[in-house]
Short mmCIF file of all heavy atoms in Angstrom, two decimals:
data_model
loop_
_atom_site.label_atom_id
_atom_site.label_comp_id
_atom_site.label_asym_id
_atom_site.label_seq_id
_atom_site.Cartn_x
_atom_site.Cartn_y
_atom_site.Cartn_z
N CYS B 306 -2.61 1.32 23.75
CA CYS B 306 -2.12 2.50 23.00
C CYS B 306 -2.49 2.38 21.51
O CYS B 306 -3.01 3.33 20.93
CB CYS B 306 -0.63 2.66 23.15
SG CYS B 306 -0.10 3.16 24.81
N PHE B 307 -2.28 1.17 20.94
CA PHE B 307 -2.63 0.96 19.53
C PHE B 307 -4.13 1.05 19.37
O PHE B 307 -4.60 1.55 18.34
CB PHE B 307 -2.13 -0.37 19.02
CG PHE B 307 -0.64 -0.41 18.80
CD1 PHE B 307 0.17 -1.35 19.37
CD2 PHE B 307 -0.03 0.55 17.93
CE1 PHE B 307 1.55 -1.37 19.15
CE2 PHE B 307 1.32 0.52 17.73
CZ PHE B 307 2.12 -0.43 18.33
N GLN B 308 -4.90 0.61 20.31
CA GLN B 308 -6.38 0.69 20.24
C GLN B 308 -6.84 2.17 20.22
O GLN B 308 -7.72 2.51 19.44
CB GLN B 308 -7.04 -0.06 21.40
CG GLN B 308 -8.53 -0.15 21.28
CD GLN B 308 -9.15 -0.92 22.37
OE1 GLN B 308 -8.65 -0.95 23.52
NE2 GLN B 308 -10.28 -1.56 22.08
N VAL B 309 -6.26 2.99 21.06
CA VAL B 309 -6.61 4.43 21.10
C VAL B 309 -6.21 5.06 19.74
O VAL B 309 -6.99 5.81 19.16
CB VAL B 309 -5.92 5.12 22.28
CG1 VAL B 309 -6.01 6.63 22.14
CG2 VAL B 309 -6.53 4.66 23.58
N LEU B 310 -5.00 4.78 19.28
CA LEU B 310 -4.56 5.31 17.99
C LEU B 310 -5.45 4.80 16.85
O LEU B 310 -5.79 5.60 15.92
CB LEU B 310 -3.07 4.98 17.72
CG LEU B 310 -2.08 5.65 18.65
CD1 LEU B 310 -0.72 5.02 18.45
CD2 LEU B 310 -2.05 7.10 18.38
N LEU B 311 -5.82 3.57 16.90
CA LEU B 311 -6.74 2.98 15.91
C LEU B 311 -8.06 3.72 15.91
O LEU B 311 -8.58 4.13 14.85
CB LEU B 311 -6.96 1.49 16.19
CG LEU B 311 -8.14 0.82 15.47
CD1 LEU B 311 -7.91 0.83 13.96
CD2 LEU B 311 -8.28 -0.62 15.97
N ALA B 312 -8.67 3.91 17.08
CA ALA B 312 -9.93 4.62 17.18
C ALA B 312 -9.84 6.04 16.61
O ALA B 312 -10.71 6.48 15.85
CB ALA B 312 -10.44 4.65 18.63
N ALA B 313 -8.76 6.70 16.97
CA ALA B 313 -8.58 8.06 16.46
C ALA B 313 -8.44 8.07 14.94
O ALA B 313 -9.07 8.89 14.25
CB ALA B 313 -7.37 8.72 17.14
N ALA B 314 -7.63 7.15 14.40
CA ALA B 314 -7.41 7.14 12.98
C ALA B 314 -8.72 6.71 12.22
O ALA B 314 -9.02 7.22 11.13
CB ALA B 314 -6.28 6.16 12.62
N LEU B 315 -9.48 5.76 12.80
CA LEU B 315 -10.74 5.33 12.19
C LEU B 315 -11.73 6.50 12.07
O LEU B 315 -12.44 6.61 11.09
CB LEU B 315 -11.36 4.19 13.00
CG LEU B 315 -10.91 2.79 12.76
CD1 LEU B 315 -11.60 1.89 13.76
CD2 LEU B 315 -11.19 2.31 11.34
N CYS B 316 -11.77 7.27 13.11
CA CYS B 316 -12.82 8.30 13.25
C CYS B 316 -12.41 9.69 12.73
O CYS B 316 -13.25 10.50 12.42
CB CYS B 316 -13.25 8.46 14.73
SG CYS B 316 -13.88 6.92 15.40
N MET B 317 -11.07 9.96 12.66
CA MET B 317 -10.65 11.31 12.38
C MET B 317 -9.71 11.48 11.18
O MET B 317 -9.32 12.61 10.87
CB MET B 317 -10.00 11.94 13.61
CG MET B 317 -10.95 11.97 14.80
SD MET B 317 -10.35 12.81 16.26
CE MET B 317 -8.67 12.28 16.41
N VAL B 318 -9.34 10.38 10.50
CA VAL B 318 -8.43 10.52 9.35
C VAL B 318 -9.19 10.02 8.15
O VAL B 318 -9.81 8.94 8.15
CB VAL B 318 -7.15 9.67 9.56
CG1 VAL B 318 -6.31 9.71 8.28
CG2 VAL B 318 -6.35 10.16 10.75
N LYS B 319 -9.22 10.85 7.10
CA LYS B 319 -9.90 10.51 5.85
C LYS B 319 -8.94 10.56 4.71
O LYS B 319 -8.11 11.43 4.61
CB LYS B 319 -11.03 11.52 5.60
CG LYS B 319 -12.15 11.47 6.65
CD LYS B 319 -13.18 12.52 6.38
CE LYS B 319 -14.26 11.91 5.54
NZ LYS B 319 -15.45 12.76 5.41
N ASN B 320 -9.13 9.61 3.80
CA ASN B 320 -8.43 9.59 2.54
C ASN B 320 -9.38 10.14 1.50
O ASN B 320 -10.40 9.56 1.27
CB ASN B 320 -7.95 8.18 2.21
CG ASN B 320 -7.12 8.16 0.94
OD1 ASN B 320 -7.30 8.90 -0.03
ND2 ASN B 320 -6.16 7.23 0.92
N THR B 321 -9.02 11.23 0.88
CA THR B 321 -9.94 11.87 -0.07
C THR B 321 -10.12 11.04 -1.32
O THR B 321 -11.08 11.29 -2.08
CB THR B 321 -9.42 13.26 -0.47
OG1 THR B 321 -8.12 13.15 -0.99
CG2 THR B 321 -9.40 14.18 0.75
N GLN B 322 -9.28 10.00 -1.54
CA GLN B 322 -9.43 9.22 -2.75
C GLN B 322 -10.14 7.88 -2.49
O GLN B 322 -10.26 7.01 -3.34
CB GLN B 322 -8.04 8.91 -3.32
CG GLN B 322 -7.42 10.20 -3.90
CD GLN B 322 -6.09 9.90 -4.55
OE1 GLN B 322 -5.45 8.82 -4.36
NE2 GLN B 322 -5.62 10.82 -5.38
N ALA B 323 -10.65 7.69 -1.27
CA ALA B 323 -11.35 6.46 -0.92
C ALA B 323 -12.72 6.43 -1.59
O ALA B 323 -13.38 7.48 -1.72
CB ALA B 323 -11.52 6.33 0.57
N LYS B 324 -13.11 5.27 -2.07
CA LYS B 324 -14.38 5.10 -2.75
C LYS B 324 -15.54 5.27 -1.74
O LYS B 324 -15.51 4.72 -0.65
CB LYS B 324 -14.45 3.70 -3.35
CG LYS B 324 -15.71 3.44 -4.16
CD LYS B 324 -15.63 2.02 -4.72
CE LYS B 324 -16.91 1.72 -5.44
NZ LYS B 324 -17.01 0.31 -5.88
N ARG B 325 -16.50 6.07 -2.12
CA ARG B 325 -17.71 6.27 -1.29
C ARG B 325 -18.91 6.03 -2.15
O ARG B 325 -19.01 6.60 -3.22
CB ARG B 325 -17.70 7.71 -0.72
CG ARG B 325 -16.43 8.01 0.04
CD ARG B 325 -16.71 8.82 1.24
NE ARG B 325 -15.52 9.33 1.84
CZ ARG B 325 -14.82 8.65 2.77
NH1 ARG B 325 -15.22 7.52 3.21
NH2 ARG B 325 -13.75 9.19 3.29
N PRO B 326 -19.84 5.26 -1.75
CA PRO B 326 -19.82 4.46 -0.52
C PRO B 326 -18.86 3.29 -0.66
O PRO B 326 -18.39 2.98 -1.76
CB PRO B 326 -21.25 3.97 -0.39
CG PRO B 326 -21.80 3.95 -1.76
CD PRO B 326 -21.07 5.07 -2.50
N MET B 327 -18.61 2.65 0.47
CA MET B 327 -17.69 1.50 0.53
C MET B 327 -18.18 0.42 -0.42
O MET B 327 -19.39 0.18 -0.54
CB MET B 327 -17.58 1.00 1.93
CG MET B 327 -16.51 -0.03 2.16
SD MET B 327 -16.35 -0.71 3.83
CE MET B 327 -17.17 0.44 4.91
N GLY B 328 -17.25 -0.26 -1.09
CA GLY B 328 -17.62 -1.35 -2.02
C GLY B 328 -18.31 -2.50 -1.28
O GLY B 328 -18.13 -2.73 -0.12
N THR B 329 -19.11 -3.23 -2.05
CA THR B 329 -19.93 -4.30 -1.47
C THR B 329 -19.03 -5.39 -0.85
O THR B 329 -19.39 -5.92 0.24
CB THR B 329 -20.81 -4.95 -2.58
OG1 THR B 329 -21.60 -3.91 -3.15
CG2 THR B 329 -21.71 -6.03 -2.06
N LYS B 330 -17.96 -5.75 -1.48
CA LYS B 330 -17.07 -6.81 -0.94
C LYS B 330 -16.52 -6.39 0.44
O LYS B 330 -16.46 -7.22 1.36
CB LYS B 330 -15.94 -7.13 -1.88
CG LYS B 330 -16.39 -7.86 -3.15
CD LYS B 330 -15.24 -8.14 -4.05
CE LYS B 330 -15.71 -8.80 -5.32
NZ LYS B 330 -14.62 -9.05 -6.26
N PHE B 331 -16.15 -5.12 0.56
CA PHE B 331 -15.64 -4.67 1.84
C PHE B 331 -16.75 -4.64 2.89
O PHE B 331 -16.54 -4.99 4.07
CB PHE B 331 -14.96 -3.28 1.69
CG PHE B 331 -13.63 -3.32 1.10
CD1 PHE B 331 -13.41 -2.78 -0.16
CD2 PHE B 331 -12.54 -3.89 1.78
CE1 PHE B 331 -12.13 -2.85 -0.75
CE2 PHE B 331 -11.28 -3.94 1.20
CZ PHE B 331 -11.10 -3.42 -0.07
N LYS B 332 -17.92 -4.20 2.52
CA LYS B 332 -19.06 -4.15 3.45
C LYS B 332 -19.36 -5.57 3.92
O LYS B 332 -19.58 -5.77 5.14
CB LYS B 332 -20.33 -3.62 2.78
CG LYS B 332 -20.34 -2.12 2.61
CD LYS B 332 -21.65 -1.73 1.98
CE LYS B 332 -21.64 -0.25 1.59
NZ LYS B 332 -22.86 0.14 0.86
N LEU B 333 -19.33 -6.52 3.05
CA LEU B 333 -19.57 -7.93 3.43
C LEU B 333 -18.52 -8.46 4.36
O LEU B 333 -18.78 -9.16 5.33
CB LEU B 333 -19.70 -8.81 2.19
CG LEU B 333 -20.97 -8.64 1.37
CD1 LEU B 333 -20.92 -9.44 0.09
CD2 LEU B 333 -22.20 -9.04 2.17
N ALA B 334 -17.27 -8.12 4.06
CA ALA B 334 -16.14 -8.57 4.90
C ALA B 334 -16.26 -7.97 6.31
O ALA B 334 -16.16 -8.70 7.27
CB ALA B 334 -14.79 -8.16 4.29
N VAL B 335 -16.52 -6.69 6.38
CA VAL B 335 -16.69 -6.04 7.71
C VAL B 335 -17.86 -6.69 8.45
O VAL B 335 -17.73 -7.04 9.63
CB VAL B 335 -16.88 -4.50 7.56
CG1 VAL B 335 -17.26 -3.87 8.89
CG2 VAL B 335 -15.60 -3.86 7.03
N ALA B 336 -18.99 -6.85 7.76
CA ALA B 336 -20.19 -7.42 8.42
C ALA B 336 -19.91 -8.89 8.87
O ALA B 336 -20.32 -9.28 9.94
CB ALA B 336 -21.34 -7.43 7.42
N LEU B 337 -19.18 -9.66 8.08
CA LEU B 337 -18.85 -11.02 8.42
C LEU B 337 -18.00 -11.06 9.68
O LEU B 337 -18.25 -11.85 10.59
CB LEU B 337 -18.10 -11.73 7.24
CG LEU B 337 -17.57 -13.13 7.60
CD1 LEU B 337 -18.68 -14.12 7.80
CD2 LEU B 337 -16.62 -13.59 6.48
N PHE B 338 -16.95 -10.24 9.75
CA PHE B 338 -16.07 -10.23 10.91
C PHE B 338 -16.82 -9.76 12.14
O PHE B 338 -16.61 -10.27 13.24
CB PHE B 338 -14.82 -9.41 10.66
CG PHE B 338 -13.88 -10.11 9.67
CD1 PHE B 338 -13.48 -9.48 8.50
CD2 PHE B 338 -13.41 -11.37 9.95
CE1 PHE B 338 -12.64 -10.12 7.61
CE2 PHE B 338 -12.53 -12.02 9.04
CZ PHE B 338 -12.16 -11.38 7.87
N VAL B 339 -17.68 -8.75 12.05
CA VAL B 339 -18.47 -8.28 13.20
C VAL B 339 -19.41 -9.40 13.63
O VAL B 339 -19.59 -9.67 14.82
CB VAL B 339 -19.20 -6.99 12.84
CG1 VAL B 339 -20.20 -6.66 13.92
CG2 VAL B 339 -18.21 -5.83 12.66
N ALA B 340 -20.02 -10.11 12.65
CA ALA B 340 -20.94 -11.20 13.01
C ALA B 340 -20.17 -12.30 13.73
O ALA B 340 -20.67 -12.87 14.74
CB ALA B 340 -21.60 -11.76 11.76
N LEU B 341 -19.00 -12.65 13.23
CA LEU B 341 -18.17 -13.68 13.92
C LEU B 341 -17.82 -13.22 15.32
O LEU B 341 -17.81 -14.07 16.26
CB LEU B 341 -16.89 -13.97 13.11
CG LEU B 341 -17.09 -14.76 11.86
CD1 LEU B 341 -15.77 -14.79 11.04
CD2 LEU B 341 -17.55 -16.16 12.15
N TYR B 342 -17.52 -11.98 15.48
CA TYR B 342 -17.21 -11.41 16.81
C TYR B 342 -18.42 -11.55 17.77
O TYR B 342 -18.29 -11.99 18.88
CB TYR B 342 -16.81 -9.95 16.65
CG TYR B 342 -16.35 -9.26 17.90
CD1 TYR B 342 -15.31 -9.76 18.65
CD2 TYR B 342 -16.95 -8.09 18.31
CE1 TYR B 342 -14.87 -9.08 19.80
CE2 TYR B 342 -16.54 -7.43 19.45
CZ TYR B 342 -15.49 -7.91 20.19
OH TYR B 342 -15.06 -7.27 21.31
N TYR B 343 -19.62 -11.18 17.27
CA TYR B 343 -20.81 -11.30 18.10
C TYR B 343 -21.16 -12.72 18.40
O TYR B 343 -21.59 -13.09 19.51
CB TYR B 343 -21.95 -10.56 17.42
CG TYR B 343 -22.04 -9.10 17.80
CD1 TYR B 343 -21.16 -8.18 17.26
CD2 TYR B 343 -22.97 -8.65 18.75
CE1 TYR B 343 -21.23 -6.83 17.61
CE2 TYR B 343 -23.02 -7.32 19.13
CZ TYR B 343 -22.16 -6.43 18.55
OH TYR B 343 -22.21 -5.11 18.91
N ILE B 344 -20.91 -13.63 17.46
CA ILE B 344 -21.10 -15.06 17.72
C ILE B 344 -20.17 -15.51 18.81
O ILE B 344 -20.55 -16.28 19.73
CB ILE B 344 -20.93 -15.87 16.44
CG1 ILE B 344 -22.10 -15.64 15.48
CG2 ILE B 344 -20.77 -17.39 16.75
CD1 ILE B 344 -21.85 -16.15 14.06
N GLY B 345 -18.92 -15.08 18.76
CA GLY B 345 -17.92 -15.39 19.81
C GLY B 345 -18.40 -14.93 21.16
O GLY B 345 -18.32 -15.69 22.16
N TRP B 346 -18.90 -13.71 21.24
CA TRP B 346 -19.43 -13.16 22.52
C TRP B 346 -20.63 -13.97 22.96
O TRP B 346 -20.79 -14.28 24.14
CB TRP B 346 -19.74 -11.70 22.43
CG TRP B 346 -18.56 -10.84 22.72
CD1 TRP B 346 -17.91 -10.01 21.82
CD2 TRP B 346 -17.89 -10.66 23.99
NE1 TRP B 346 -16.86 -9.37 22.49
CE2 TRP B 346 -16.84 -9.75 23.79
CE3 TRP B 346 -18.05 -11.24 25.25
CZ2 TRP B 346 -15.97 -9.39 24.80
CZ3 TRP B 346 -17.20 -10.85 26.26
CH2 TRP B 346 -16.14 -9.93 26.01
N GLY B 347 -21.46 -14.36 22.04
CA GLY B 347 -22.64 -15.19 22.37
C GLY B 347 -22.22 -16.49 22.96
O GLY B 347 -22.78 -16.92 24.02
N LEU B 348 -21.22 -17.14 22.35
CA LEU B 348 -20.73 -18.39 22.90
C LEU B 348 -20.06 -18.19 24.27
O LEU B 348 -20.25 -19.00 25.20
CB LEU B 348 -19.79 -19.03 21.94
CG LEU B 348 -20.34 -19.57 20.62
CD1 LEU B 348 -19.22 -19.89 19.61
CD2 LEU B 348 -21.25 -20.73 20.90
N TYR B 349 -19.30 -17.13 24.37
CA TYR B 349 -18.63 -16.82 25.65
C TYR B 349 -19.67 -16.61 26.78
O TYR B 349 -19.48 -17.08 27.88
CB TYR B 349 -17.74 -15.58 25.49
CG TYR B 349 -16.84 -15.34 26.68
CD1 TYR B 349 -15.72 -16.17 26.84
CD2 TYR B 349 -17.09 -14.32 27.55
CE1 TYR B 349 -14.87 -15.93 27.96
CE2 TYR B 349 -16.26 -14.10 28.65
CZ TYR B 349 -15.17 -14.91 28.80
OH TYR B 349 -14.32 -14.71 29.93
N TYR B 350 -20.76 -15.94 26.44
CA TYR B 350 -21.83 -15.72 27.46
C TYR B 350 -22.60 -16.95 27.82
O TYR B 350 -23.31 -17.00 28.84
CB TYR B 350 -22.71 -14.53 27.04
CG TYR B 350 -22.26 -13.24 27.71
CD1 TYR B 350 -21.36 -12.44 27.13
CD2 TYR B 350 -22.76 -12.94 28.99
CE1 TYR B 350 -20.92 -11.26 27.76
CE2 TYR B 350 -22.33 -11.77 29.64
CZ TYR B 350 -21.42 -10.95 29.03
OH TYR B 350 -20.99 -9.84 29.66
N THR B 351 -22.53 -17.96 26.98
CA THR B 351 -23.19 -19.26 27.33
C THR B 351 -22.24 -20.13 28.17
O THR B 351 -22.59 -21.24 28.57
CB THR B 351 -23.61 -20.04 26.08
OG1 THR B 351 -22.50 -20.37 25.34
CG2 THR B 351 -24.59 -19.26 25.27
N GLY B 352 -21.06 -19.62 28.41
CA GLY B 352 -20.08 -20.35 29.28
C GLY B 352 -19.00 -21.06 28.48
O GLY B 352 -18.15 -21.74 29.09
N ILE B 353 -19.04 -20.92 27.22
CA ILE B 353 -18.00 -21.55 26.36
C ILE B 353 -16.80 -20.62 26.17
O ILE B 353 -16.92 -19.59 25.52
CB ILE B 353 -18.60 -21.96 24.97
CG1 ILE B 353 -19.75 -22.92 25.14
CG2 ILE B 353 -17.51 -22.57 24.11
CD1 ILE B 353 -20.53 -23.18 23.87
N ALA B 354 -15.71 -20.98 26.81
CA ALA B 354 -14.50 -20.14 26.74
C ALA B 354 -13.37 -20.97 26.10
O ALA B 354 -12.25 -20.99 26.61
CB ALA B 354 -14.13 -19.61 28.14
N SER B 355 -13.69 -21.62 25.01
CA SER B 355 -12.70 -22.50 24.32
C SER B 355 -11.63 -21.67 23.64
O SER B 355 -11.76 -20.44 23.50
CB SER B 355 -13.40 -23.37 23.31
OG SER B 355 -13.89 -22.60 22.24
N SER B 356 -10.63 -22.36 23.20
CA SER B 356 -9.54 -21.67 22.46
C SER B 356 -10.05 -20.98 21.23
O SER B 356 -9.62 -19.86 20.94
CB SER B 356 -8.51 -22.75 22.03
OG SER B 356 -7.97 -23.44 23.11
N LEU B 357 -10.95 -21.61 20.48
CA LEU B 357 -11.51 -20.97 19.28
C LEU B 357 -12.29 -19.71 19.63
O LEU B 357 -12.19 -18.73 18.88
CB LEU B 357 -12.37 -21.96 18.52
CG LEU B 357 -11.64 -23.03 17.74
CD1 LEU B 357 -12.62 -24.00 17.10
CD2 LEU B 357 -10.70 -22.41 16.70
N VAL B 358 -13.05 -19.75 20.71
CA VAL B 358 -13.81 -18.56 21.09
C VAL B 358 -12.88 -17.42 21.48
O VAL B 358 -13.07 -16.29 21.05
CB VAL B 358 -14.80 -18.89 22.23
CG1 VAL B 358 -15.42 -17.62 22.81
CG2 VAL B 358 -15.86 -19.85 21.76
#
Side-chain angles (χ1 to χ4, degrees):
C306 291
F307 286 126
Q308 186 179 30
V309 168
L310 292 169
L311 166 62
L315 277 175
C316 301
M317 299 186 320
V318 175
K319 295 178 93 170
N320 184 326
T321 58
Q322 294 183 342
K324 183 179 176 187
R325 303 218 191 272
M327 189 180 340
T329 304
K330 290 179 184 178
F331 284 112
K332 284 181 187 175
L333 288 173
V335 170
L337 172 68
F338 288 122
V339 170
L341 287 172
Y342 184 58
Y343 271 77
I344 289 168
W346 272 113
L348 292 169
Y349 190 75
Y350 262 90
T351 63
I353 301 170
S355 69
S356 304
L357 285 176
V358 170

